[in-house]
Amino acid sequence: MSILDSKIPEGSIAEKWTNHKNHLKLVAPNNRPKIDVIVVGTGLAGASAAASLGEMGYNVKAFCFQDSPRRAHSIAAQGGINAAKNYQNDGDSIFRLFYDTIKGGDYRAREANVHRLAEVSGNIIDQCVAQGVPFAREYGGLLDNRSFGGTQVQRTFYAAGQTGQQLLLGAYSALSRQIGLGRVKMYNRHEMLDLVKVDGKARGIIARNLVTGEIERHSAHAVIIASGGYGNVYFLSTNAMGSNVTAAWKAHKRGAYFANPCYVQIHPTCIPVHGTNQSKLTLMSESLRNSGRIWVPKKKEDAEAIRAGQLKPTQIAEEDRDYYLERRYPAFGNLVPRDVASRAAKERCDAGFGIEANDTNEGVYLDFSSEIIAKGKQAAYASGDHNPSDLKIMELGKKWVEEKYGNLFQMYEKITDENPYETPMKIYPAVHYTMGGVWVDYNLQSTIPGCFVAGEANFSDHGANRLGASALMQGLADGYFVLPYTVSNYLADEIRTGKISTDSPEFVEAENNVKESINKFLSNNGSKTVDHFHKRLGLIMWNKVGMGRNAQGLTEAISEIAALREEFYKDVFVPGDANEMNPELEKALRVGDFMELGQLMAIDALQRKESCGGHFREEYQDAEGETLRDDENFKFVGAWEYKGMDINQSVLHKEPLNYEFIKIAARNYK
């Protein structure tokens, strides 16, 4: 039997969070300086949590492996942040944001958490405006909005194509204030390598100073893990190359259940893979789908000619273009959710219509010519020119697009050496976000008392597919508006605990374990680099646990990763020393965790005999190639308990998903 207790409050969905907050225990301001909290990760979730708890008066230690919190991967988010403010007067509401998020996640998210997210979304925007985040504004001075996939309203607030950067700078400024006041102690270039439990509770971490190599013990009354997702298990992804799963995975190995690891988001608008030596993929913001139309040639011979360099996309007549999303999903068109758009692109390329001349012929066009013409005409008319020339239309249209997306177009041209104002962008789906993560209850506490998990590192809010612009929303919601209440409720029982010693046997054992792992890598007489093994793992994951999955491929992946993992520990070569800056050692430790996680992802995907959201089992699809859920047998969160080095021995616990306030239906965007 499962021992999961989600702690979802009773009562109406609209009142759960308010009533819950009203009955949580508090820590008086004079007692907060007696209590220590560790925050691992300083992206939006971690920085906002550390800043908030510091402001409240707790002693906070914040850790990031980058040289500054400003380097956190949240900075790479481009398109926007969702909030139900209905500024555009197009019918948005808290309930509609709640509904869209549940539906977008293919009815595999926890109702109560998602509604809370929608409730606090408006507060996030107010908080960020107060911090000076330069959101775009429309002519009347109100904050501007645009649409993202999976919605029929405009609820996405944005700051050009650099929303994540601006939001992170806002959170960083709040964090910096607390650092300046001495309430937060910042540990840059430190990586958490183990979680320490004392008497069953999370009481600290073992961290490595990445500059000196020193292994450090840090104690606290509670630990918050906000270390992001695990997309880099695929090697090639849109994540920063340093993004990893180590902090969350170490908590898992200490007893925190890991939920829904098979739920991975493939983003449809990434610049296609270009060569075998590539180590990073670049994302083009989903916001571009507001203005760009996605297409491939209708004729295979045209696609072949484009790939051969004999034909340009601008030479393909309008009637010879297949705007396949508009054709298949007329109600949402190019703004279908990410998983739907990604599979549709894969289907066209698998059928031979791909336009990129890479190893796999995979790529489709994102074309802005229609928007440039439409906005050019609009701008000319508004200026009094009711009969503008084609040249004037193009000039004004490009100017409008540049104001809206200019930095994104500039980035694309620098990478590809093609002008997207003149030639359609080439895009193809790529690994982006991970919906799975450490299992947490309604309070964001894992199955380890005192270990809280926030942002992308937990599983809680997105189900089987995240809607665009919801990651930034969740990160800031968790850090600013949830954890300050729920962590305080836990810490109310810790007032008399006193300072926690780092000399206990548990800290000694954890430190020794970390040192032993490091020494094993450094003393290994291997012959191959860490990247050699990481790339091989990524190929297995992409080919067999990627956009399309089936029982045979998943079964093969489980055994192939096991064999690769064994070879990795026997034949990896890690140069250098433990007591110095050693990036190869950092990578080796992280890839070791990716090996274990990759196996669990395949095991989780194999047991989930249905298709839902980003988890597409080829055996379970309807006649039109859409996902076929099995609500009778798989309407649950799959939370895995670690049972040792053999990942096949992991135990599955199921948290049933009960929908009281939303009626489950087939997900239809047509």
Side-chain angles (χ1 to χ4, degrees), residues 158-194:
Y158 64 98
Q162 50 183 246
T163 313
Q165 178 178 342
Q166 298 301 333
L167 290 171
L168 186 63
L169 288 173
Y172 175 69
S173 67
L175 175 62
S176 296
R177 181 171 181 271
Q178 298 308 314
I179 294 170
L181 292 170
R183 294 173 184 155
V184 175
K185 185 168 176 55
M186 189 67 227
Y187 292 85
N188 299 335
R189 301 296 286 143
H190 279 67
E191 183 158 28
M192 171 185 158
L193 294 180
D194 207 352

Side-chain angles (χ1 to χ4, degrees), residues 97-143:
L97 173 54
F98 161 59
Y99 173 79
D100 285 346
T101 306
I102 291 282
K103 177 185 176 184
D106 220 349
Y107 303 93
R108 290 295 177 263
R110 191 191 282 156
E111 248 190 356
N113 288 63
V114 177
H115 196 279
R116 174 175 65 190
L117 180 64
E119 280 180 71
V120 305
S121 64
N123 296 340
I124 297 169
I125 304 303
D126 297 339
Q127 171 94 355
C128 294
V129 169
Q131 288 174 339
V133 173
F135 286 121
R137 294 180 181 268
E138 46 105 74
Y139 75 97
L142 285 177
L143 299 183

Side-chain angles (χ1 to χ4, degrees), residues 78-270:
Q78 300 162 333
I81 177 170
N82 288 332
K85 279 185 169 287
N86 196 32
Y87 277 179
Q88 306 303 316
N89 197 32
D90 56 0
D92 202 10
S93 64
I94 288 172
F95 183 85
R96 193 172 291 278
L97 173 54
F98 161 59
Y99 173 79
D100 285 346
T101 306
I102 291 282
K103 177 185 176 184
D106 220 349
Y107 303 93
R108 290 295 177 263
R110 191 191 282 156
E111 248 190 356
N113 288 63
V114 177
H115 196 279
R116 174 175 65 190
L117 180 64
E119 280 180 71
V120 305
S121 64
N123 296 340
I124 297 169
I125 304 303
D126 297 339
Q127 171 94 355
C128 294
V129 169
Q131 288 174 339
V133 173
F135 286 121
R137 294 180 181 268
E138 46 105 74
Y139 75 97
L142 285 177
L143 299 183
D144 198 12
N145 290 116
R146 54 192 180 200
S147 294
F148 261 57
T151 71
Q152 290 178 307
V153 298
Q154 298 173 84
R155 66 161 68 100
T156 303
F157 295 77
Y158 64 98
Q162 50 183 246
T163 313
Q165 178 178 342
Q166 298 301 333
L167 290 171
L168 186 63
L169 288 173
Y172 175 69
S173 67
L175 175 62
S176 296
R177 181 171 181 271
Q178 298 308 314
I179 294 170
L181 292 170
R183 294 173 184 155
V184 175
K185 185 168 176 55
M186 189 67 227
Y187 292 85
N188 299 335
R189 301 296 286 143
H190 279 67
E191 183 158 28
M192 171 185 158
L193 294 180
D194 207 352
L195 180 75
V196 181
K197 283 167 58 179
V198 180
D199 297 329
K201 294 181 178 181
R203 289 304 196 195
I205 66 170
I206 304 297
R208 181 171 181 265
N209 182 322
L210 298 180
V211 177
T212 67
E214 183 182 355
I215 305 300
E216 302 173 3
R217 307 175 192 175
H218 295 275
S219 66
H221 298 87
V223 175
I224 297 169
I225 294 174
S227 53
Y230 49 88
N232 275 355
V233 69
Y234 290 86
F235 187 72
L236 280 179
S237 80
T238 67
N239 288 202
M241 289 177 68
S243 297
N244 64 86
V245 77
T246 290
W249 193 254
K250 297 307 184 190
H252 173 55
K253 293 176 81 165
R254 289 290 181 182
Y257 293 179
F258 207 95
N260 297 339
C262 75
Y263 289 162
V264 175
Q265 179 163 87
I266 312 294
H267 198 296
T269 57
C270 180

Side-chain angles (χ1 to χ4, degrees), residues 103 155 162 265 288-289 308 352 365 424 443 546 591 657 670:
K103 177 185 176 184
R155 66 161 68 100
Q162 50 183 246
Q265 179 163 87
L288 295 172
R289 288 201 275 150
Y365 286 124
N443 294 324
V591 171
L657 291 168
K670 296 179 178 180

